[in-house]
Amino acid sequence: MSELHRGAPRRITVVGEEILTRRCREATEFGTPELTRLIEDMFATNHVAEGAAIAANQVGVDLQLFVWDMRDERGTHHIGHILNPVLDDLPADQRTLLEEPEGCLSVPGPYRVVARPDRAVVRGQDQDGNPIVVKGRGYFARCLQHETDHLHGRLYLDRLTQRERKSALREMAASQDEVFARRAARSSSAASSS
């Protein structure tokens, strides 16, 4: 992936930071060098953090954008980006609710079971402003929904009961130093190999 090798990892925002709690601004400028650099940096950041996907507000940028680079449960590799994503409201008879563990790069460490539809259709634009439609099932559908939530100021923690949320935050506090150290080591390794 060329974006991965050109980009530079950025700091990942964590739960409690204000940028993660509000709706991101709509993208109105496309095809710029700044947007290209942001997308490249987001791919690099996601790779260093061993993530499936990452939203722009997770690297401190107020913009409706996320990127993904992941394998689903069938081994299919999904890679791409989308700006101004809007999830289709799929009829109930076309989807099944799945309860699966979910984690987040901005909540380093814990995973919790979150119920989400097994299918997702997201409409938006690519970096040049062209309309795109991205469809996903299973884990990839969960990823598309999770990242769209980010751009609306929601974390997966917001879908948990208060008790589950407190438990996840305690677990995060206990494990985040280890997670940050692993990310820093991968970042250093990536920088020295480029």
Side-chain angles (χ1 to χ4, degrees):
M1 175 78 208
S2 57
E3 288 89 347
L4 173 66
H5 299 296
R6 287 195 302 256
R10 297 189 184 195
R11 178 189 168 273
I12 298 174
T13 55
V14 295
V15 60
E17 294 185 46
E18 192 269 338
I19 196 166
L20 293 173
T21 65
R22 60 181 157 82
R23 185 180 178 92
C24 292
R25 71 176 173 82
E26 189 171 330
T28 56
E29 294 182 29
F30 301 93
T32 66
E34 294 79 17
L35 181 58
T36 299
R37 170 55 66 187
L38 174 60
I39 291 170
E40 291 170 352
D41 288 356
M42 288 172 65
F43 274 111
T45 304
N46 185 60
H47 175 73
V48 162
E50 301 176 284
I54 193 166
N57 58 353
Q58 291 183 276
V59 294
V61 177
D62 179 17
L63 188 67
Q64 290 185 24
L65 162 68
F66 67 84
V67 305
W68 62 90
D69 184 357
M70 55 163 293
R71 291 199 181 277
D72 64 21
E73 62 275 19
R74 291 175 297 282
T76 303
H77 188 207
H78 301 273
I79 187 165
H81 71 274
I82 192 167
L83 291 118
N84 304 325
V86 176
L87 276 168
D88 281 5
D89 190 16
L90 299 176
D93 65 341
Q94 292 183 19
R95 58 186 162 83
T96 303
L97 210 56
L98 294 180
E99 295 187 359
E100 300 282 342
E102 197 165 310
C104 180
L105 298 178
S106 292
V107 186
Y111 282 76
R112 292 295 182 273
V113 172
V114 177
R116 292 196 190 263
D118 67 334
R119 293 183 60 226
V121 177
V122 183
R123 297 173 192 279
Q125 294 157 290
D126 69 13
Q127 66 182 343
D128 296 316
N130 301 310
I132 58 172
V133 178
V134 183
K135 299 177 182 181
R137 291 188 170 275
Y139 182 52
F140 186 43
R142 178 171 297 275
C143 172
L144 295 172
Q145 295 167 78
H146 177 109
E147 298 307 323
T148 301
D149 269 1
H150 269 301
L151 303 181
H152 290 90
R154 290 187 79 175
L155 296 170
Y156 85 91
L157 295 176
D158 299 322
R159 294 183 175 272
L160 303 177
T161 65
Q162 187 173 4
R163 184 179 191 173
E164 290 172 314
R165 180 184 168 93
K166 285 182 178 177
S167 166
L169 289 172
R170 278 194 303 273
E171 186 178 327
M172 182 189 94
S175 64
Q176 70 181 4
D177 288 347
E178 178 185 328
V179 172
F180 291 155
R182 192 169 60 243
R183 288 178 187 172
R186 284 181 57 87
S187 182
S188 293
S189 174
S192 64
S193 67
S194 59

